[in-house]
Each structure stands twice: as C-alpha cells, then as structure tokens.
Amino acid sequence: MAIGPDGRVFAAWLDKRNVAPAGAANRPYPGAALAYAWSNDGTSFGKTSIALDNTCECCRLGIAFAGPGRPVIAFRNIFEGSIRDHAVVTFKDATTPGPLRRVSVDDWKLEACPHHGPSLAIAPDGSYHVAWFTDGKARKGLFYARADSADSAFGPPRAVSSPGRQPARPYLLADGRALHLVWKEFDGIKAQGAVAGLARRRPWLERGANCRRDRRRLGSSAVGRPCRARLSLVADQGPGLSPDPAGGPAMRLSILPVLLLSLASICGAEAAGPLPFERGSWEKLRASHAGQPTVVHFWGLTCGPCLVELPHWGKLVADRRDLKLVLIAADPLPQEQERVSATLAAAGLANSESWSFTDRFYERLRYEIDPAWAGELRVP
Amino acid sequence: MIDGDGKITVLPGVADLAQVRAWLDARPKPSR
C-alpha cells in the first residue's frame, strides 16, 4: 500500500481469485494475480481489479509512483518455464496497467515460493531503481539495477554485498537527491542491517559502513552521518526505510527482542502439534534419526505449491510404511500452530513427525540447516 | 533425503515423488 503524490491511497496485492475458475476449466494457472484498488478518502476502497495474471504468489511487492494517479509495481513474475524473475508495471493512468517490463533475466527456475520480494524507488528525475534477491542460474544474491525512465530498459544488475553473507530484504528510498539502499545480512552468527547511499551518476554505490551494527546492539540508537533517512529493523522482518520527517541526518535503529522459547523434547514426535524448531533443533533432529534413511520436507503455509503438494506426501506416507518423513514448516513469519496442524491433518499427515519454526531469528535456523539456503520454499 | 550414513540428496522445488519412491526402494528396509 502506498500514498500517491495526489494523496490517494493505492493498494496492490497478490490475489488467487482466478485460480478456481481456471481449475474448473481444466486450465493450468500458475501463481496468482496482481490486483489493485484505490481509496480516494483514505477510509474505504473502490472496486478491486486485476492488473495481470500469473505472478509469483508469495513475494512482497514494491510500489512507487511515476506521477499522480500513476502507480508502479515491482513484483516477481512467473515467466515461461516457471522462471521467477522480476518485472515492473507502470500504470498509464489510475486504472490502466502498462506493459510488463522485465528487470533482469536471472533465470531462477523454481516451482515453489522464493519468499523474497523486490524493492522499488522512482527518483524525481524519473529514473527507476529496483533491488531484489535471486538464486537464478545467471546470478545469485542481492542485486540492484536502474532504468533511466519509465520506457527505457533496465541496466545490468549490480551485485550488492556477497552471497556468502546472505544479503536479503532490500529496501530502496528515493529522498530528494539521495537514494538509499538498505538490506539484511547474516554471517552465521549475527544479522546486520547494512546501508548504502547510491550515487546517481556514478556506476556504483558507496557503502555506509558506519551504519552497520551488530544485531545485539541494534537496540540502542545509532547515528550514521551519511544517512538521511529513518531506518527501523525488527527481528522477524527485513528492514524498512522511510524519509526522515525532520530532514535531519539522523538514523534510528530499533529492534524487537528476540523471542526465545524453551526447547521441546523431540520425544514427542507423535504428538498432535508441531514441535518448536529453534536453534539446535536441526542437530537434535539429525541425531534422533541417525542411521535411519529419512526424508525431510520443508514447507510453509504461505507457500502455495507446498499446499498443493502436501496431500501427495500424505498418500506416499500411507503407501510406504518404510518412509520416515519429517515435516518442517519454515515460513519466515510467526507460525500459526493450529493452522499448521490442521493443514497437515487434512493432507493425511497428522501422524508424521512435524516441526515448525518458532525462533523468529529464522536466518539462523536456515543457516544451521544449510548455510546456502536463503529462505525459499522448498529448500534448493 | 538423508541416507543412513548421513549423505544428503536435495530435491528442489516441488518434489518428484517418484524419485522419493525410487530412493526408498534403494534403501535397506528398517528392521522391525
């Protein structure tokens, strides 16, 4: 959701309304639709419309404005061959989406949910700026690209940080003459918010190293002189960036306390609810299955393909008594344990060993399982 | 898929369950 230059509120979201009709007509319908609506008064929205079909169904959207009543949406599209790369649509007017413009050809083929959305900013000179994560064949990691105008092609992607630092969750902010980029990194021990200011005319960015803080110190305020925007970080989301209303050179960092829950015994594997998957759980799980061939299936409530796939796992479990299946719900969101249990039960998996991410420092959980796993479902 | 000796085979995206069945067939059956 975003407020346009004319004060109207624009909302865009991923919408599954076209899935059922396609199924009824025996037509494949990968992904979701990109839907939108306007609010003129900020209290109610008008009719909802579909801008286009077959977008990735779980990745965050980026919204900016090319002018009053002309929203621009950056999103992960599903291209031919289940390639989940990014694209931008610029509205010609409030209700006419323009053509799809591909940001880059990363060639990330994945029939699952990447769980990484792009960020978009449009500078006062009309240039477009997009940052995104990919694990494609052509490139892997966090990238930035710019286009000179609404009609021009995007330039070559430029790497942000290095893949080994698990850069993710980028946010861009065009604030007058400045362009800010912030993202998260995780080195296996601590998460960091990293900040860079992008020079418009120069080929690449300058990293604001003094804006970085150890995760454990994010609770205290910090000041980074080169940064002229407010930055907020929370433990279970990526960083968010907004213009500093005071216009001053202040940066404010805050972080919610990490939710630490007590470790549960893995002896309760046959219990009704999922076991809490926390730091150290992967080692415990591996130890409890040592010497036994085991299939570990990663899934999530926010992963559409996972939900379609689950009943097939249920049938396999029923057919193959020799299958030792472990299910791990790995959504990067606070888990709804009742929904996890109900979904597994509906798929015939109520009696399978089930775990669910509960530690909201989910980068660390993923790192323990596979340092190269960036959070997409299922695991690459 | 984790073998008894700890070797891991990863099936990315939506799994081909035929591959899982084949993997199971190739594993020693657990003793009861």
Side-chain angles (χ1 to χ4, degrees), chain A residues 111 293-294 309 319-320 378 380, chain B residues 2 4 10-11 13-15 21 25:
Chain A
E111 291 178 356
T294 305
E309 185 186 24
D319 289 348
R320 299 294 299 252
R378 298 178 37 213
Chain B
I2 307 174
V10 176
L11 299 180
V14 175
R21 288 178 187 273
D25 289 339

Side-chain angles (χ1 to χ4, degrees), chain A residues 237-251:
Chain A
Q237 297 175 10
L241 198 59
S242 61
D244 179 6
M251 166 171 275

Side-chain angles (χ1 to χ4, degrees), chain B residues 1-7 9-15 17-19 21 23 25-28 30-32:
Chain B
M1 300 181 292
I2 307 174
D3 272 324
D5 62 3
K7 181 191 170 195
T9 304
V10 176
L11 299 180
V14 175
L17 295 191
Q19 279 186 269
R21 288 178 187 273
W23 180 83
D25 289 339
R27 304 278 85 71
S31 56
R32 294 183 178 271

